[in-house]
Amino acid sequence: MITFLVCLVLLVVAYFAHGSYLERVCKIDPKRAVPSQSLYDGVDYVPMSRWRTFLIQLLNIAGIGPIFGAIMGACFGPVAFLWITLGGIFMGAMHDFLSGVMLVRNDGLSISEIVGRYMGRATLQFMRIFSIILLILVGVVFLRSPASILGEMIPSVSYWWWIGIIIVYYFVATLLPIDKIIGKLYPLFGAALIFMAIGLAGVILFGDYSVPELSLSTLRNYQPNAEALPIVPTLFITIACGAISGFHATQSPLMARCIKSEGDCRSVFYGAMITESIIALIWAAIAMAFFHGPDKLAVALAEHGNSAAWVVNTISTSTLGVVGGVLAVLGVVAAPITSGDTAFRSARLIVADSLHIEQRSIPKRLMICIPIFAIGLVLNFIDFDVVWRYFSWTNQALATVVLWTIVVYHRREGYNMWVALLPAIFMTYICSSFVFISDQFFGMENRTAAYILGGVATVALTIAMWVKIKNTKPLQND
């Protein structure tokens, strides 16, 4: 319990201490004009209050990541607490806040456009395609997971009917102005997600449960197939949204176009990420405590097809009662749905920004939405595990690209670039070594060689980026 409480306190304190420090690093100016004022269009550029943009941002980035990822990551043992906390503070919250500020100061453009602006035109073209693929994968993942949960909760309605219902909602939410559905409903869902986490935190603190402590004896991998899933780099890929996630940078433009002042950035971007890390910390703790240890959690998951949804349902209904359990499960359903529709919305904005298609008129929005949803519908017929595995790595790879972009941006603006440089190098190694170790890619049996190759790739990429950083000149707008 001590490890859990220390991590919880560190996350809360970080919002005030580390968040305030980062505000000084990038010279936040509440008087500077923001996109919702200078580019107001009544569709995507719409000013909204701080509390509303915070709750919407939380729902946009949360999805099932901080819940499902934390549960799967808990199988690695208490070391998961360490990654959620330190990763959430020095990588995730930093990534979300600094990229959010960068977006606000660049007209709230899509992250692919911003990466291209600071990293070059070749990177721009790559990022446009890469981001759209990731967002469609996210939309599909966050379409199928709630449909599966709802199908189990209400068996009288089939899985494919739920798919149809959710995708119709996605289409409407993607098409309408942001303040019509998202601006009105998401704050309520965001509050529900927070209350669910508070309820489970109460169960941990006051219930008859024992949360494992992090120590030298527990600093090991509890997975039954530990050799195939080493902590480094697998844990850092498994727990993504609760620690750092590139998907967040694709969602941040939505609120970068809606905040009323630069002074709101810490609450909206840093605060939402810290809140997500707290949610992940709580779910990792309750998952280990409820099943009496990470090893037994891993066994229980294996017996139920590694279904994190089953764990959520079991824990929620057992600890919070029928009403609380239903609310918790519905919260887990609402989270991916509200991230899925904004994923498709972000994909629309990337295409619109890339092709310079104005989005005031409905026909222009339909022109982009219809093909995007057609692709998403086709992907629903591909094996879910395949979609999820590649989504996870793609997610962290995008985070790495955004971190390097932050480094270049800070170099160009004369800010402290080291706050992002060290995390960028670390995540480069995680993504590179995963390529050589994981069966999803090369799956090398010689782990020593795989780690060395990951290191060589990291050094090569770091040298290339260092040359780019040293040669960075003041940005010349096209």
Side-chain angles (χ1 to χ4, degrees):
M1 184 72 76
I2 294 176
T3 303
F4 169 75
L5 291 175
V6 169
C7 290
L8 186 61
V9 170
L10 286 174
L11 285 167
V12 174
V13 170
Y15 173 77
F16 299 98
H18 187 239
S20 179
Y21 166 71
L22 291 179
E23 280 188 320
R24 294 193 298 274
V25 166
C26 57
K27 300 177 181 178
I28 288 295
D29 181 6
K31 296 180 180 180
R32 192 194 305 256
V34 292
S36 66
Q37 301 165 345
S38 58
L39 298 170
Y40 174 83
D41 65 0
V43 178
D44 297 307
Y45 292 89
V46 180
M48 291 192 282
S49 64
R50 179 184 302 191
W51 70 269
R52 192 179 295 275
T53 48
F54 161 74
L55 289 172
I56 294 173
Q57 176 73 2
L58 176 61
L59 261 293
N60 287 353
I61 67 175
I64 55 176
I67 301 171
F68 284 21
I71 290 170
M72 303 302 291
C75 296
F76 288 88
V79 67
F81 294 148
L82 200 61
W83 171 232
I84 290 171
T85 304
L86 298 182
I89 295 170
F90 297 108
M91 296 195 186
M94 177 274 295
H95 166 280
D96 286 15
F97 176 72
L98 295 182
S99 63
V101 171
M102 186 169 61
L103 290 164
V104 169
R105 292 177 178 174
N106 283 273
D107 297 334
L109 289 174
S110 303
I111 190 61
S112 57
E113 303 303 302
I114 303 306
V115 170
R117 179 169 289 187
Y118 292 101
M119 302 285 276
R121 184 158 295 277
T123 309
L124 168 63
Q125 300 303 333
F126 168 77
M127 279 296 297
R128 284 172 173 171
I129 298 171
F130 190 82
S131 298
I132 292 171
I133 290 173
L134 172 63
L135 287 166
I136 294 176
L137 285 174
V138 169
V140 173
V141 167
F142 291 170
L143 169 64
R144 296 173 67 167
S145 56
S148 298
I149 296 173
L150 287 168
E152 293 179 5
M153 291 175 62
I154 310 174
S156 58
V157 180
S158 72
Y159 166 81
W160 286 106
W161 271 107
W162 284 119
I163 287 287
I165 293 169
I166 295 172
I167 204 166
V168 167
Y169 163 75
Y170 279 4
F171 191 84
V172 173
T174 301
L175 199 62
L176 290 178
I178 196 165
D179 59 337
K180 299 305 180 185
I181 293 181
I182 293 174
K184 289 183 170 60
L185 294 181
Y186 280 31
L188 299 176
F189 290 141
L193 188 64
I194 292 172
F195 287 135
M196 175 188 68
I198 292 173
L200 290 174
V203 169
I204 295 170
L205 296 173
F206 304 110
D208 188 21
Y209 293 100
S210 176
V211 180
E213 303 289 357
L214 179 63
S215 65
L216 290 176
S217 61
T218 60
L219 191 59
R220 60 185 181 86
N221 194 341
Y222 289 82
Q223 295 267 15
N225 52 343
E227 188 174 333
L229 299 171
I231 291 177
V232 180
T234 315
L235 172 65
F236 305 95
I237 298 293
T238 303
I239 301 180
C241 294
I244 180 172
S245 168
F247 169 65
H248 295 183
T250 68
Q251 299 299 285
S252 292
L254 298 180
M255 290 304 98
R257 302 180 185 206
C258 295
I259 64 168
K260 288 184 174 181
S261 164
E262 273 196 5
D264 294 347
C265 286
R266 176 153 61 111
S267 299
V268 175
F269 301 119
Y270 195 101
M273 180 62 223
I274 288 294
T275 303
E276 186 176 25
S277 291
I278 291 173
I279 292 171
L281 188 73
I282 290 170
W283 273 103
I286 192 66
M288 282 187 264
F290 184 86
F291 290 97
H292 308 290
D295 49 347
K296 294 180 180 178
L297 167 64
V299 171
L301 271 168
E303 291 175 349
H304 292 82
N306 288 317
S307 173
W310 171 81
V311 173
V312 169
N313 184 54
T314 301
I315 291 176
S316 300
T317 54
S318 300
T319 61
L320 299 177
V322 177
V323 176
V326 169
L327 288 175
V329 173
L330 287 176
V332 175
V333 170
I337 288 178
T338 52
S339 290
D341 62 4
T342 53
F344 281 116
R345 188 182 189 92
S346 297
R348 170 175 69 80
L349 294 178
I350 289 176
V351 174
D353 290 345
S354 302
L355 302 179
H356 304 290
I357 301 175
E358 62 86 12
Q359 294 294 280
R360 289 176 181 269
S361 62
I362 291 180
K364 294 292 180 65
R365 281 176 258 162
L366 280 172
M367 181 193 307
I368 301 173
C369 286
I370 291 175
I372 287 176
F373 276 93
I375 295 170
L377 191 59
V378 170
L379 288 176
N380 271 283
F381 295 94
I382 297 176
D383 181 61
F384 181 82
D385 289 340
V386 174
V387 175
W388 176 262
R389 286 199 303 270
Y390 288 101
F391 153 68
S392 299
W393 181 85
T394 304
N395 187 30
Q396 298 302 67
L398 178 58
T400 305
V401 174
V402 174
L403 286 172
W404 281 114
T405 305
I406 292 171
V407 173
V408 174
Y409 171 73
H410 276 225
R411 167 77 174 183
R412 180 234 188 272
E413 297 294 329
Y415 302 155
N416 178 3
M417 67 179 186
W418 291 95
V419 293
L421 178 59
L422 296 179
I425 295 172
F426 177 81
M427 289 305 299
T428 299
Y429 180 73
I430 291 299
C431 292
S432 298
S433 59
F434 189 79
V435 168
F436 294 106
I437 288 172
S438 174
D439 290 337
Q440 295 172 220
F441 297 97
F442 292 108
M444 294 176 60
E445 294 184 4
N446 187 333
R447 290 301 166 77
T448 301
Y451 284 124
I452 290 174
L453 286 172
V456 170
T458 300
V459 170
L461 287 169
T462 300
I463 291 174
M465 283 306 306
W466 188 253
V467 172
K468 168 71 177 177
I469 292 165
K470 298 297 287 186
N471 292 333
T472 296
K473 298 178 181 178
L475 176 65
Q476 298 295 325
N477 292 320
D478 294 335

